[in-house]
Amino acid sequence: MRRQKFILKGLMALAFMPLASAQIYYTDAEIEREAELASMASANVSVEKAVMTSSSSIDWTKNTFTSNVALDVVKAGIPMPSGKASSLNHIQMELPVLVKDPLLSIYVDDTHTLSDLVLEGSFTLEELTRIIDGSRQTPAVFASGTSNLLTEHTIQLQNIGASLVKHNIPYTLRQPIETVSTKEYTGIIIDARGSLPIQGEFISSETYPCLFPKIWNERMDLLYERNMVDPGVAKSKGIVHYSSSIFIKDYEDRVGRTPLWITAKKVYGINRCDPVISWEDYLRITSIKSNLELLRQGKIVILLDDKNLKHAVSAPRKDKNYYIAYHNLKRYIDENKIPDTSITEIPPGILITQHLRFYPDSPELLPEELERVTQVAQSLRNYVSDGGYSIMVAGHTADVNKPGGQLTLSIQRAQTIIDILVSRGLDRSLFTYRGYGGTMPVADNSTPEGRAQNRRVEITVMPTASYVQRQ
């Protein structure tokens, strides 16, 4: 419980609040002190002040998230050998803070990371802390000739996935009217290696792993998702197994000896996690009930490039300068009273949200909206254009039951905002963009007011990633 409170306290420290309701702000000295505390809560103190460090990696083929943790007992002021127990307690106390941010970057599905679920409230930091506390840790040993006490901490990704499986009874996909001649298979392998066209866009991408991928056909009929899988299987084994090997013997226990081998045609999703297969391959699965049963039992293997399955995991470097920049941006937006514009601190970075009006079904911004975007551009030029940041612009639309058109329009509107920001003096190389269509509403789409709130552009200022967390 004490560790959970520490994490929550650290996150609460990220949001600098006015000293009084009359918008009296911190002095520069107070800002600096609070920024130092916030950087500690985010495990991003300077190298000189760091007592503990951690570097994390992920292996989707083994479903493991591993962190190598080092405590410098001399810098921590812990006498040895009498302080061994104190050292272990110190590691246990600080471990959730060190591994939290890299963990939150994990893809859950085609649109969400773990941090997104925390922001939505569907997954809590208390749950994450319990998983961290309950995971395997090797005995701590001293690195030869140093004062560093080392331990390796390993989380089974399936423990996170199991906590997100909520259904009790799986549903079965209906057999389509159209069928093809096929046979019974023992499992399904989808080869999604290499670069693939992105469904609904005009660019290509590699496919990335997540806890709950979906599988679609080229007509965008859904073939597979987590709620089709027996919940016991989904919790214990996950809904897919990832591999980079072309040898069936390496995952025969998952798909048997005579699996159906499919080559993915495209990739889909904001996070580029969902394979898209051909209509014919879709029918080869759905034409007989025994192959539909493979879906219920989760007998699915997805092949991806090895570099996307095993790699180091980074997290945003939220040091003292980052938090000072956050407060200055917030103060600028508040003091200039930029209408219908909000700023919050979220796991990936600083989120600036504007509910902007465009011409109907058009990426063209209404002229009266230009001043607000210009003001945001000025704030970004003042505080985050001097290196160490990238800026992601995300477009969102209301959901009017036109998912393909909504996705395209949201991308085009994000590009429009980037063009305006660049024309106001920001370097284009800072920017990336994404379009979410109507997949991430913040209000009820059944009312005009709700749809207006869902039509928004979000600008996320992301600090440079770090592969080492320091506390």
Side-chain angles (χ1 to χ4, degrees):
M1 179 60 70
R2 186 179 174 192
R3 283 190 290 277
Q4 294 171 9
K5 287 181 177 178
F6 185 84
I7 289 181
L8 293 173
K9 181 180 178 182
L11 286 182
M12 290 169 62
L14 307 187
F16 296 107
M17 299 298 292
L19 292 177
S21 58
Q23 299 214 347
I24 301 171
Y25 294 95
Y26 288 124
T27 66
D28 288 343
E30 289 169 329
I31 291 171
E32 188 143 339
R33 184 172 65 252
E34 291 296 319
E36 187 74 49
L37 291 173
S39 67
M40 290 176 63
S42 293
N44 278 282
V45 300
S46 64
V47 175
E48 295 76 22
K49 294 183 178 180
V51 173
M52 281 182 66
T53 62
S54 174
S55 58
S56 300
S57 61
I58 196 166
D59 186 343
W60 287 93
T61 67
K62 296 180 179 177
N63 262 331
T64 55
F65 181 95
T66 302
S67 300
N68 291 297
V69 180
L71 168 65
D72 189 324
V73 296
V74 172
K75 292 179 73 173
I78 302 174
M80 287 291 145
S82 61
K84 184 73 175 286
S86 297
S87 299
L88 297 178
N89 288 336
H90 189 92
I91 290 173
Q92 287 298 113
M93 176 70 74
E94 304 297 341
L95 190 61
V97 181
L98 285 163
V99 304
K100 168 180 60 67
D101 283 351
L103 263 176
L104 289 175
S105 69
I106 291 174
Y107 289 159
V108 175
D109 54 31
D110 58 324
T111 57
H112 295 86
T113 62
L114 271 179
S115 68
D116 294 326
L117 300 191
V118 171
L119 291 171
E120 292 175 0
S122 56
F123 184 71
T124 67
L125 290 171
E126 287 91 342
E127 290 177 282
L128 185 63
T129 303
R130 283 195 293 271
I131 291 170
I132 293 171
D133 284 348
S135 298
R136 181 173 59 86
Q137 186 173 325
T138 62
V141 296
F142 279 101
S144 178
T146 74
S147 59
N148 287 328
L149 192 62
L150 308 180
T151 183
E152 184 179 87
H153 181 268
T154 301
I155 296 170
Q156 290 294 321
L157 294 177
Q158 199 46 47
N159 292 337
I160 298 174
S163 70
L164 299 172
V165 175
K166 306 297 185 183
H167 66 284
N168 295 314
I169 300 174
Y171 74 92
T172 301
L173 191 70
R174 290 184 179 180
Q175 289 181 267
I177 296 174
E178 184 180 347
T179 61
V180 296
S181 177
T182 186
K183 66 176 185 178
E184 293 186 358
Y185 295 98
T186 59
I188 299 167
I189 300 171
I190 299 180
D191 187 348
R193 293 172 298 166
S195 183
L196 296 170
I198 299 173
Q199 174 68 29
E201 301 181 41
F202 301 102
I203 54 177
S204 297
S205 173
E206 296 175 342
T207 306
Y208 299 97
C210 69
L211 293 174
F212 302 112
K214 299 183 182 75
I215 302 173
W216 307 80
N217 67 34
E218 289 178 298
R219 301 182 185 181
M220 295 313 292
D221 300 312
L222 183 61
L223 171 67
Y224 187 64
E225 57 105 358
R226 79 176 90 172
N227 294 313
M228 295 179 184
V229 184
D230 180 282
V233 173
K235 290 179 180 180
S236 63
K237 297 182 178 180
I239 71 168
V240 302
H241 173 73
Y242 284 108
S243 179
S244 60
S245 171
I246 62 172
F247 300 108
I248 294 174
K249 63 180 179 61
D250 290 337
Y251 33 81
E252 186 178 311
D253 59 334
R254 185 80 178 217
V255 294
R257 294 185 177 182
T258 56
L260 170 62
W261 189 293
I262 295 171
T263 300
K265 300 299 181 183
K266 297 180 181 179
V267 62
Y268 179 69
I270 303 302
N271 294 328
R272 318 308 192 202
C273 296
D274 295 352
V276 179
I277 66 175
S278 71
W279 175 251
E280 182 179 355
D281 285 330
Y282 172 81
L283 292 178
R284 291 165 73 188
I285 297 168
T286 57
S287 291
I288 56 177
K289 290 183 178 179
S290 60
N291 287 340
L292 289 175
E293 176 65 15
L294 300 175
L295 305 180
R296 193 177 77 85
Q297 293 299 321
K299 292 185 177 296
I300 311 290
V301 166
I302 297 179
L303 302 185
L304 299 182
D305 296 313
D306 196 61
K307 65 180 180 179
N308 294 332
L309 294 173
K310 306 172 188 177
H311 56 83
V313 180
S314 63
R317 181 181 285 130
K318 296 185 175 182
D319 57 14
K320 183 172 73 172
N321 291 333
Y322 164 84
Y323 287 109
I324 290 173
Y326 164 68
H327 181 71
N328 285 329
L329 284 168
K330 181 175 176 60
R331 181 163 56 185
Y332 184 95
I333 289 172
D334 289 343
E335 288 182 342
N336 286 277
K337 297 180 172 61
I338 304 177
D340 208 9
T341 301
S342 63
I343 180 168
T344 51
E345 210 284 330
I346 62 174
I350 302 166
L351 175 65
I352 302 172
T353 302
Q354 288 194 306
H355 297 279
L356 299 168
R357 293 177 299 157
F358 294 79
Y359 286 103
D361 299 318
S362 168
E364 186 178 352
L365 191 67
L366 290 175
E368 55 267 33
E369 299 287 81
L370 187 59
E371 178 58 27
R372 288 198 290 142
V373 181
T374 299
Q375 288 179 298
V376 168
Q378 183 60 52
S379 71
L380 296 174
R381 285 181 60 192
N382 289 349
Y383 303 116
V384 299
S385 62
D386 57 349
Y389 298 93
S390 62
I391 302 173
M392 199 264 284
V393 179
H396 299 265
T397 67
D399 187 359
V400 292
N401 296 315
K402 297 178 181 178
Q406 290 164 192
L407 177 63
T408 300
L409 184 59
S410 65
I411 292 170
Q412 292 172 340
R413 287 178 172 176
Q415 292 170 328
T416 293
I417 299 306
I418 290 175
D419 289 341
I420 295 171
L421 295 173
V422 169
S423 73
R424 299 304 187 269
L426 289 157
D427 190 334
R428 188 175 291 276
S429 66
L430 290 172
F431 292 96
T432 58
Y433 64 85
R434 282 188 175 181
Y436 291 86
T439 62
M440 300 182 72
V442 294
D444 187 353
N445 273 299
S446 66
T447 67
E449 296 79 11
R451 290 192 293 273
Q453 285 185 276
N454 291 331
R455 298 183 188 104
R456 66 194 189 279
V457 171
E458 295 175 336
I459 300 170
T460 305
V461 180
M462 299 179 292
T464 302
S466 173
Y467 287 97
V468 179
Q469 304 301 108
R470 295 185 175 90
Q471 176 65 330

